[in-house]
Amino acid sequence: MCLAIPGKIVALDPRNEGSAIVDVLGTRRTIDLGLLQDDRPAGGDWVLIHVGFAMSKISEIDALEQLRLLEMLGESEAALQEVRGYGLDSTKDADSVE
Amino acid sequence: MKYVDEFRKPELIRKAAAEIRRLCDPKRYYRLMEVCGGHTHAIYRFGLKDVLPANIDLIHGPGCPVCVLPMGRVDDGLSIAASEANLIFAAFGDMMRIPGTRGSPLEHKARGMDVRIVYSPADAIKLAKANPQKHVMFFAIGFETTAPSTALTLVRAKAEKLRNFSVFCNHVTIIPAIRAILDSPDMRLDGFIGPGHVSTVIGCRPYEWIAKNEGKPIVVSGFEPLDLLQSIVMLLSQLQRKEAKVENQYTRVVPWEGNRAALRAMAEVFELRPYFEWRGLGFISQSALRIKPSYAEWDAEQRFHVPGIRVTDPKAAQCGEVLKGVLTPAQCKLFGKECTPETPVGALMVSSEGSCAAYYNYEHRKNSELTSLSLPA
Ligand code: SF4
């Protein structure tokens, strides 16, 4: 929950302008852009994600460094687990990742 | 610090460490509090204490939302779920192992309660839509980093007139907790490392009273080793010049004014509670958020009967003193004996970002089994 996860916006969601598809270490998920209304990111931008919501834009260099740190700390797996959990799909039990 | 060369700009890390030694007056003692649990975690993980002079002490503050949540609130949430038929108790993974009086959410699940992990409050809404015959109650926790997401989720639930969804709100705000620590008579802090991600939301202005009225410097900091060392340099040079101001080391992420869209969402949905209990700190006035009457339909505390359970920590638990920097974790009588990460007695042992758990995992166990050390964050 307290992890800030850097993700790259690969596409703005065509079905819902308040959300975007991000790539985090190769995993793609939909996140919410509602908290960046005043400074909307575009495709290719990097954002810091908290609990499925983009909270701030960051530079690519900072994003990559942060991903590297997560890895060094042995926390990239926790970050990925969180990201995989986003947008839980109704056919699958939400706690199957437990 | 184990791996200086593996970090970004190792030469700057060495320079910052040298600068800290230069600015540090060997004749005095420095107590700096990092407010945020993420910082506590990073400080231990990176072994930052190894590069600091012995007379600089980092005190670990109240910024771990899991740790400061009173057990009674966990009991209240679980008791709503137990007494309502067809209710799904949804919460972040961090919540699942928090002990309540009759066990953690995970243990309740094992006994048949419908408990689900969600990674985003937005997903709790999806869960509600997927289960129209059930009610989904999202057990919300966190500081200003997660509160805006809960707020926006409630805005969406209201706009969509989603009837089978509610939030049991336990969001807390960081400023009153800092004030409570500063107000306590045994307080001995010299300055603060300000929280990075909370500040992306609230900005830097809300800290100004700490500098102006309390005369303590505060530097909002990032989470990399270089960030934390630079923040300590900034604090020491303020202290050397006998200054007290708010500085922002983490400008690449934290705007001075914060995130207005996030603040708007919070203002739309939340209002301050007159008081709220914090584990280890007791009741603090205006320190937590509740849902406004205009969102009452989505407020679990309005919809359901809340027993208002209060559980006091055992007298021997010295979490309050540790939080204020009067004692180090290892100085608590229960540390490592009755109180361990596996059997937490006090708040600070509950999550890996709590100061006692961090201390236990990285210092206490240092020379023993360093393998199975980290609790799920
Ligand atoms: S060791 Fe346990 S009881 Fe003592 S201060 Fe830490 S968390 Fe509280």
Side-chain angles (χ1 to χ4, degrees):
Chain A
M1 166 189 61
C2 290
L3 269 183
I5 305 169
K8 183 176 187 161
I9 298 198
V10 291
L12 299 173
D13 188 340
R15 290 161 305 159
N16 177 353
E17 57 168 273
S19 58
I21 298 163
V22 288
D23 181 302
V24 179
L25 296 166
T27 294
R28 291 190 173 196
R29 280 293 181 275
T30 301
I31 58 154
D32 199 299
L33 295 183
L35 299 174
L36 286 183
Q37 272 164 24
D38 299 352
D39 184 19
R40 299 185 65 84
D45 284 351
W46 285 83
V47 289
L48 269 187
I49 310 161
H50 289 266
V51 296
F53 287 71
M55 195 63 95
S56 34
K57 289 199 219 169
I58 53 170
S59 75
E60 177 161 30
I61 294 176
D62 289 336
L64 295 176
E65 179 63 15
Q66 198 148 343
L67 285 170
R68 208 171 66 87
L69 276 184
L70 282 177
E71 203 152 331
M72 269 171 75
L73 293 173
E75 281 166 2
S76 46
E77 203 28 65
L80 266 179
Q81 176 174 324
E82 177 162 337
V83 171
R84 283 193 207 107
Y86 293 160
L88 84 168
D89 96 49
S90 51
T91 56
K92 156 186 113 191
D93 197 3
D95 44 23
S96 59
V97 285
E98 239 304 295
Chain B
M1 202 161 85
K2 295 145 218 158
Y3 10 62
V4 172
D5 287 313
E6 293 173 49
F7 294 115
R8 170 148 74 163
K9 304 177 187 143
E11 66 297 344
L12 287 184
I13 293 185
R14 289 200 185 84
K15 223 175 118 201
E19 190 66 4
I20 288 173
R21 283 193 297 277
R22 189 183 69 76
L23 286 166
C24 179
D25 175 356
K27 291 190 293 298
R28 67 171 283 189
Y29 203 75
Y30 299 87
R31 287 188 184 80
L32 309 177
M33 173 176 279
E34 86 278 1
V35 176
C36 164
H39 282 152
T40 304
H41 191 69
I43 285 163
Y44 281 107
R45 274 287 203 178
F46 299 136
L48 278 191
K49 291 198 170 182
D50 301 350
V51 294
L52 296 182
N55 57 332
I56 299 183
D57 215 356
L58 295 179
I59 314 292
H60 317 306
C64 163
V66 173
C67 303
V68 296
L69 182 70
M71 191 185 275
R73 293 293 287 183
V74 182
D75 287 349
D76 276 347
L78 289 168
S79 110
I80 294 173
S83 52
E84 292 295 319
N86 286 325
L87 188 140
I88 298 176
F89 179 99
F92 293 140
D94 316 57
M95 274 290 303
M96 289 296 145
R97 286 185 178 79
I98 301 189
T101 314
R102 268 170 266 114
S104 65
L106 212 55
E107 287 163 308
H108 280 75
K109 181 183 166 73
R111 296 198 290 266
M113 186 180 279
D114 195 347
V115 173
R116 314 279 184 105
I117 293 178
V118 289
Y119 290 89
S120 166
D123 290 335
I125 281 197
K126 294 202 181 100
L127 201 56
K129 286 183 182 161
N131 294 276
Q133 74 295 356
K134 296 199 168 184
H135 182 93
V136 172
M137 179 178 78
F138 174 60
F139 191 102
I141 60 169
F143 286 94
E144 287 93 336
T145 30
T146 54
S149 308
T150 303
L152 211 53
T153 300
L154 283 163
V155 170
R156 304 239 156 96
K158 186 176 183 179
E160 296 181 30
K161 301 196 173 62
L162 193 64
R163 303 280 174 225
N164 65 329
F165 173 74
S166 64
V167 170
F168 187 68
C169 181
N170 295 284
H171 285 296
V172 282
T173 61
I174 196 70
I175 298 287
I178 299 178
R179 193 183 299 269
I181 285 170
L182 280 171
D183 280 350
S184 86
D186 44 7
M187 195 283 305
R188 308 174 185 178
L189 300 171
D190 298 296
F192 291 90
I193 298 173
H197 295 134
V198 161
S199 307
T200 32
V201 174
I202 66 173
C204 298
R205 276 191 206 289
Y207 304 114
E208 277 169 354
W209 63 274
I210 299 174
K212 277 207 192 91
N213 305 351
E214 304 286 336
K216 312 273 180 201
I218 173 163
V219 177
V220 171
S221 175
F223 294 83
E224 293 178 27
L226 181 59
D227 290 329
L228 285 157
L229 292 177
Q230 276 177 346
S231 298
I232 294 170
V233 168
M234 291 161 85
L235 284 172
L236 291 178
S237 52
Q238 282 199 47
L239 288 168
Q240 194 195 43
R241 294 194 306 267
K242 299 202 169 23
E243 279 179 358
K245 42 183 194 184
V246 184
E247 290 184 289
N248 184 5
Q249 183 276 334
Y250 201 27
T251 47
R252 61 185 195 273
V253 174
V254 173
W256 191 264
E257 302 293 338
N259 177 332
R260 285 172 196 271
L263 293 170
R264 277 201 306 274
M266 285 171 67
E268 158 73 18
V269 173
F270 296 130
E271 59 188 17
L272 283 171
R273 288 177 197 266
Y275 52 84
F276 194 72
E277 188 180 8
W278 293 54
R279 261 187 108 170
L281 289 174
F283 284 92
I284 305 178
S285 61
Q286 308 208 313
S287 64
L289 303 172
R290 68 179 176 204
I291 297 168
K292 281 184 173 172
S294 49
Y295 285 80
E297 201 181 328
W298 293 272
D299 182 356
E301 288 178 89
Q302 301 294 320
R303 274 184 90 125
F304 304 117
H305 170 69
V306 183
I309 298 165
R310 288 205 55 211
V311 188
T312 39
D313 281 333
K315 277 243 158 35
Q318 292 175 291
C319 312
E321 283 91 336
V322 172
L323 270 177
K324 285 176 263 177
V326 181
L327 295 180
T328 65
Q331 285 171 331
C332 169
K333 288 194 274 305
L334 302 185
F335 180 86
K337 300 182 193 87
E338 288 92 335
C339 189
T340 67
E342 289 74 31
T343 54
V345 176
L348 310 176
M349 203 57 105
V350 173
S351 112
S352 65
E353 301 196 341
S355 51
C356 291
Y359 192 90
Y360 190 91
N361 285 331
Y362 300 115
E363 296 291 318
H364 193 68
R365 285 179 179 167
K366 212 173 208 169
N367 303 317
S368 42
E369 6 78 78
L370 254 172
T371 38
S372 61
L373 82 191
S374 80
L375 288 173

